[in-house]
Amino acid sequence: MTAMPALTRLAEDEAIFRDSVYEFADKEVRPLAREMDEKATMSPALVTKLFELGVMSVEIPESFGGAGGTFFHSVLAVESFSRVDPSVGVLVDVQNTLVINAVLRWGTEEIKRKYLPKLASNTIGAYCLSEAGSGSDAFAMATRATETGDGFSITGRKLWITNGNEADMFIVFANVNPDAGYRGITAFIVDRGTPGFTVGKKEDKLGIRASSTCELLFEECVVPKSQLLGEVGKGYKVAIETLNEGRIGIGAQMLGLAQGALDHTIAYVKERKQFGRPIGEFQGVQFQLARMATDVEATRLLVYNCARLRDQGLPFLTEAAMCKVYSSEVAERVASMAVNLFGGNGFVKEYPVEKLYRDAKIGQIYEGTTNMQLVTIAKDLLGS
Ligand SMILES: Cc1cc2nc3c(=O)[nH]c(=O)nc-3n(C[C@H](O)[C@H](O)[C@H](O)COP(=O)(O)OP(=O)(O)OC[C@H]3O[C@@H](n4cnc5c(N)ncnc54)[C@H](O)[C@@H]3O)c2cc1C
């Protein structure tokens, strides 16, 4: 009998990759995290370093200038950055698990040749589905694309688009045939600077403040047919299939966040003294730490299992929905307990855990709210 390796057992290259990304995050991101949060900006110098490190192109084949890694490597990168700063985690996540993933799967050879080398060297991507009137009901989008002979003219507004401020390449969903419902939805790649396309206001947010979230405006924005991503009317498939994988990335973001909150708390309870001894010596505190660690470990199993299923070409739809529901609840719970165990210091910005508590909330909202994940899980259970 051959025993299967444990889920959380990393291959040598995976362990080296995770450790080197975490080391980088600890050295280069940690000193910037508080200021980036306060100013609600992503450091451009840091972004340059992320490209140099290869974490903005994890799955892009080496022939296109990428790192030639797996989806599992992407997940390890998102986890490692989010352990330090979940804003940097989501920047890396959207680039890899949504944008690059969609181009690799749906791009023509021409699109791949045009965009993959850029995405590997200096271009940030954004994934633009949501609108003011269509969030959970994403396919009810009002953005339209009309054929103009050799291209399409896009008109509409997208809302809450991650990386909107920094991105130069936007995957945009629009309906070319509203009478056909979701079968009219089509994906396009729109470059920053295309006439008729502007990036609008940037949201002022509760958490992940260094990650930009922007409105996008399209006013008769004409793109040639060569900018189609996938076939006309197949945009719903591009969206569904990419988001199914993206959800695992959000699981990794929430996992890293929870691990980060636990790391800070372990260090703090050893230092902070009350009643003449470190608070970590009280059994009540130890039990709370033990629960936090158990939550983190269970989340890691879900996230890693989903990523491994995906890399092995096995079904993972229900597992990814479970992974997102669970990881985002754990992140909120663990960050909340971290705040409690830091006491008054947990509530002030000088210490890192109040930020993680704020950052955790988004996990239950984007890339499909918790309720929408529960719908997916229940459909599978009931065979409906
Ligand atoms: C910081 C941030 C970054 C984002 N980044 C991106 C991005 O890069 N690209 C992008 O396209 N979008 C992005 N989004 C949008 C995000 O995906 C949506 O906000 C999310 O899908 C929820 O949509 P909504 O806000 O319209 O909420 P709604 O759909 O209005 O939901 C409101 C509430 O109703 C519940 N609900 C709705 N329908 C049902 C139902 N059928 N059954 C049960 N409950 C239901 C929801 O669960 C939720 O609790 C981002 C959002 C934020 C806040």
Side-chain angles (χ1 to χ4, degrees), residues 86-116:
S87 287
V88 178
V90 76
L91 166 74
V92 170
D93 175 61
V94 169
Q95 176 86 353
N96 286 290
T97 74
L98 294 182
V99 175
I100 289 170
N101 224 326
V103 173
L104 283 173
R105 183 177 311 195
W106 299 95
T108 57
E109 275 313 304
E110 189 187 343
I111 287 280
K112 286 183 189 167
R113 272 200 307 274
K114 181 171 176 189
Y115 285 102
L116 291 178

Side-chain angles (χ1 to χ4, degrees), residues 20-187:
S20 64
V21 173
Y22 181 68
E23 216 170 278
F24 173 91
D26 195 37
K27 187 163 153 256
E28 303 283 348
V29 180
R30 202 180 294 287
L32 305 176
R34 183 172 167 201
E35 193 182 341
M36 293 200 305
D37 178 64
E38 276 172 8
K39 294 190 173 158
T41 49
M42 184 65 65
S43 155
L46 174 62
V47 170
T48 304
K49 287 181 189 169
L50 295 177
F51 278 104
E52 285 164 7
L53 189 66
V55 290
M56 298 299 275
S57 59
V58 178
E59 282 182 84
I60 294 182
E62 286 170 13
S63 55
F64 288 109
T70 61
F71 185 79
F72 194 81
H73 286 109
S74 296
V75 156
L76 291 175
V78 175
E79 177 192 354
S80 298
F81 280 114
S82 303
R83 196 170 160 190
V84 175
D85 187 349
S87 287
V88 178
V90 76
L91 166 74
V92 170
D93 175 61
V94 169
Q95 176 86 353
N96 286 290
T97 74
L98 294 182
V99 175
I100 289 170
N101 224 326
V103 173
L104 283 173
R105 183 177 311 195
W106 299 95
T108 57
E109 275 313 304
E110 189 187 343
I111 287 280
K112 286 183 189 167
R113 272 200 307 274
K114 181 171 176 189
Y115 285 102
L116 291 178
K118 289 189 197 180
L119 288 164
S121 52
N122 56 18
T123 300
I124 294 179
Y127 187 86
C128 320
L129 182 66
S130 303
E131 300 180 4
S134 59
S136 299
D137 190 10
F139 295 162
M141 67 183 63
T143 299
R144 299 285 175 254
T146 30
E147 214 165 333
T148 60
D150 56 353
F152 288 87
S153 169
I154 304 171
T155 295
R157 280 173 180 229
K158 297 286 172 187
L159 206 57
W160 305 302
I161 303 307
T162 299
N163 298 346
N165 194 46
E166 298 82 14
D168 282 312
M169 179 268 200
F170 298 76
I171 296 177
V172 180
F173 295 87
N175 200 321
V176 297
N177 181 9
D179 292 340
Y182 73 89
R183 289 181 186 279
I185 293 170
T186 304

Side-chain angles (χ1 to χ4, degrees), residues 270-325:
K270 288 181 180 168
E271 292 292 320
R272 172 71 176 169
K273 288 199 174 92
Q274 288 292 281
F275 302 96
R277 47 187 173 137
I279 58 172
E281 288 185 12
F282 297 114
Q283 198 177 47
V285 170
Q286 290 174 359
F287 282 2
Q288 287 166 324
L289 279 178
R291 282 198 185 280
M292 291 163 81
T294 306
D295 267 347
V296 171
E297 179 66 7
T299 303
R300 184 165 284 119
L301 291 170
L302 278 171
V303 173
Y304 285 13
N305 188 45
C306 283
R308 297 236 189 258
L309 287 172
R310 189 279 189 190
D311 275 338
Q312 288 167 26
L314 296 166
F316 60 85
L317 175 66
T318 305
E319 289 84 352
M322 290 173 170
C323 158
K324 183 166 179 295
V325 170

Side-chain angles (χ1 to χ4, degrees), residues 371-384:
N371 277 0
M372 299 322 290
Q373 308 308 320
L374 296 176
V375 167
T376 301
I377 298 164
K379 266 190 188 160
D380 184 23
L381 292 176
L382 301 172
S384 52

